[in-house]
């Protein structure tokens, strides 16, 4: 058997961005999770909604179950059929999916958006943002909030953050128009 190189370098295995992308960074995985948040639980529902092949859907659902994001439960006995229900760990990804969708919409005019997030009771569109739970401050300011090595960081991770270049003040504020630049910069300085 031929060994296939891992997509994640050994020194990045401790990086939460790398490990998260390893679990949910695949196109179909995100779309299946999105459908699960919308209430889909059955194989045929996912397949019809996404237009995904049976083999690809089977593979992705097995991976989501193995990763603990979905739980496989029988809903019918003759013949045996299973549904795929979000676990607590899977449900905890909803804010991530919401933030990704909001980032995608931030690059579009309101008339170009095919999906928006609304308040379930009022129907009013909402603007998702990521904030600090303690202060309520938005976390999109790259000068005010930076990643650094945590308590369990290896020497390589500590070295990476000790050598991190400073972010120029004019690039520190992130708005919708320059979010791609900020994400590229974050990806190249935080875990690569």
């Amino acid at each position: 058997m031929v060994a296939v190189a891992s997509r994640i370098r050994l020194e990045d295995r401790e990086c939460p961005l790398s490990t998260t992308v390893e679990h949910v960074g695949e196109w179909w995985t995100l779309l299946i999770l999105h459908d699960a948040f919308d209430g889909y639980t059955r194989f045929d529902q996912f397949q019809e909604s996404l237009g995904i092949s049976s083999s690809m859907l089977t593979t992705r659902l097995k991976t989501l179950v193995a990763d603990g994001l979905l739980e496989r439960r029988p809903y019918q006995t003759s013949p045996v059929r299973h549904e795929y229900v979000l676990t607590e760990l899977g449900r905890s990804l909803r804010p991530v999916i919401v933030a990704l969708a909001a980032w995608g919409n931030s690059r579009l005019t309101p008339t170009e958006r095919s999906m928006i997030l609304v308040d379930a009771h009022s129907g009013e569109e909402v603007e998702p943002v990521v904030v600090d739970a303690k202060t309520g401050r938005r976390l999109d300011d790259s000068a005010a909030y930076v990643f650094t090595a945590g308590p369990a960081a290896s020497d390589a991770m500590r070295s990476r953050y000790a050598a991190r270049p400073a972010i120029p003040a004019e690039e520190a504020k992130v708005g919708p128009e320059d979010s791609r630049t900020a994400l590229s910069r974050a990806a190249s300085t935080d875990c690569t």
Side-chain angles (χ1 to χ4, degrees):
M1 177 179 273
V2 176
V4 178
S6 173
R7 289 185 285 170
I8 298 175
R9 298 177 307 171
L10 184 59
E11 62 269 24
D12 288 335
R13 292 221 178 259
E14 70 183 293
C15 174
L17 291 174
S18 296
T19 56
T20 300
V21 168
E22 184 176 25
H23 292 286
V24 298
E26 198 274 331
W27 167 276
W28 288 116
T29 300
L30 286 173
L31 295 178
I32 291 167
L33 287 169
H34 176 252
D35 275 2
F37 291 125
D38 281 347
Y40 293 85
T41 60
R42 298 186 178 170
F43 189 95
D44 57 334
Q45 291 173 325
F46 290 118
Q47 191 170 33
E48 184 178 334
S49 171
L50 299 171
I52 185 174
S53 72
S54 293
S55 62
M56 179 63 74
L57 181 55
T58 298
T59 300
R60 294 296 168 234
L61 288 172
K62 283 181 180 179
T63 300
L64 287 165
V65 169
D67 287 347
L69 301 173
L70 293 177
E71 179 182 344
R72 187 174 184 243
R73 296 182 189 163
Y75 69 88
Q76 178 180 311
T77 57
S78 185
V80 176
R81 299 223 187 258
H82 294 88
E83 64 181 351
Y84 298 87
V85 180
L86 286 161
T87 62
E88 185 176 333
L89 182 62
R91 286 188 300 276
S92 72
L93 277 168
R94 188 165 195 278
V96 175
I97 303 294
V98 167
L100 286 170
W103 181 82
N105 274 342
S106 73
R107 299 179 4 239
L108 304 172
T109 66
T111 59
E112 294 175 314
R113 297 173 183 174
S114 61
M115 176 185 74
I116 59 173
L117 188 67
V118 299
D119 181 294
H121 299 290
S122 71
E124 294 291 320
E125 184 173 359
V126 296
E127 180 186 350
V129 295
V130 179
V131 299
D132 174 47
K134 292 179 186 174
T135 65
R137 290 175 51 200
R138 291 176 66 126
L139 298 179
D140 53 1
D141 182 344
S142 296
Y145 298 98
V146 297
F147 287 104
T148 192
S154 67
D155 289 340
M157 184 67 83
R158 290 179 192 286
S159 176
R160 173 180 294 138
Y161 285 109
R164 177 183 53 224
I167 298 170
E170 65 274 4
E171 292 181 24
K173 288 280 186 194
V174 178
E177 67 282 347
D178 60 358
S179 55
R180 277 184 284 187
T181 303
L183 286 176
S184 296
R185 181 178 59 249
S188 67
T189 60
D190 291 332
C191 292
T192 57

